[in-house]
Amino acid sequence: GTEGHPVSYKLFTIAALPQSAVVSIRGSESMWDWMVDIQLWAGGVLAQLVRAVNPFGWMWTPILDEMVYFINSVQSEELKDVSYYRYTSAFVNDLYAGFDGRKFENLRVTGASLGGGLAILTGAITGASAVSISGLNAMYSRRTFDPPITKEQLDTRVFNVIPDRDIIARIDQPGMLYQRTQCRGPKNSLFACHSMWRSLCELQYQCGSNGRPINCWCTSKYGYPAPLTNGTLTWEEACADAPE
C-alpha cells in the first residue's frame, strides 16, 4: 500500500534475525525533492542566519526553536502536504505493529541528504534508531513537526554523519549524537562534500573496512589511495570491470 507515496523507501529484512530490519529512505533526486527540503527546513535556516549576522547571536540560541515554530506556523497547512516523514513514520509504526506475518522489534532507519533528514525525523518520532549521512538536522525545527519532537528524542535516537564543508548537513542544529568527518573533495565545488559515496569512502579510509571490499569509486572517482590487497588480485584487476 505504499505505491502512491511521494517518498521512496525500502525495507531490508535479515534472515538470521527475523525480528530485525533496516528501512532505507531515498535522498534528493528531483527538483521537487529540493523544494521539500526548502519548505520543511526554511525556518531552521532563517534562525541560523539570525544567529550568524547578529553580533550577540549566541544569546538567541535558547529561543531559536520558538522562533522557528512561529515562522512555520504561518504555513502549517502547506507544510502538511510536503511532510514526507509522515509516510515513513507510519510505515515504521506498521512494522512495529506487525507486517508480513511477523512483528519487528529491532528497527534501524537510514538515509542520506533529504533521506537522512527524513530518517532523523522518523527515528525520533517512532523510537527506531536512525543513522543519517549528510542529513538535515532538526533541533531548532523540532516543534514544527507533527507530532512535535522533543530534545530528548533527538539526543538519544538519531546519529548524523556531518562531513566538513557540507552545507546541507549544517542546516539546523544536530542533537548530541553526531560525527564530523573530513572531506577531501575540491574546495572550489559547493556540493563536493555532500556525497554519501564520498562519505562512505572516508569512513572506510579512516576506520578500515574490516575485511569488506572497498568501492572502486573511492580510488577512481574520489582520489583515495588504492587499498592493500590480499595477494590474489591487484586493485586494477579487481576494478577493471567496475562502472565509472
Side-chain angles (χ1 to χ4, degrees), residues 138-180:
M139 188 58 74
Y140 294 152
S141 306
R142 65 184 186 273
R143 295 181 57 207
T144 66
F145 302 110
D146 183 21
I149 297 171
T150 66
K151 184 177 183 298
E152 180 183 6
Q153 288 172 311
L154 291 173
D155 284 341
T156 58
R157 304 310 306 173
V158 304
F159 180 88
N160 195 14
V161 177
I162 305 177
D164 186 31
R165 293 186 285 115
D166 184 350
I167 61 174
I168 302 299
R170 278 168 170 72
I171 290 177
D172 210 302
Q173 181 76 8
M176 293 185 66
L177 304 178
Y178 65 90
Q179 177 64 56
R180 299 193 184 277

Side-chain angles (χ1 to χ4, degrees), residues 99-121:
F99 175 79
D100 195 27
R102 52 181 154 170
K103 192 173 183 178
F104 292 91
E105 297 180 357
N106 185 21
L107 293 174
R108 299 290 185 269
V109 188
T110 188
S113 187
L114 171 62
L118 296 177
I120 287 174
L121 301 181

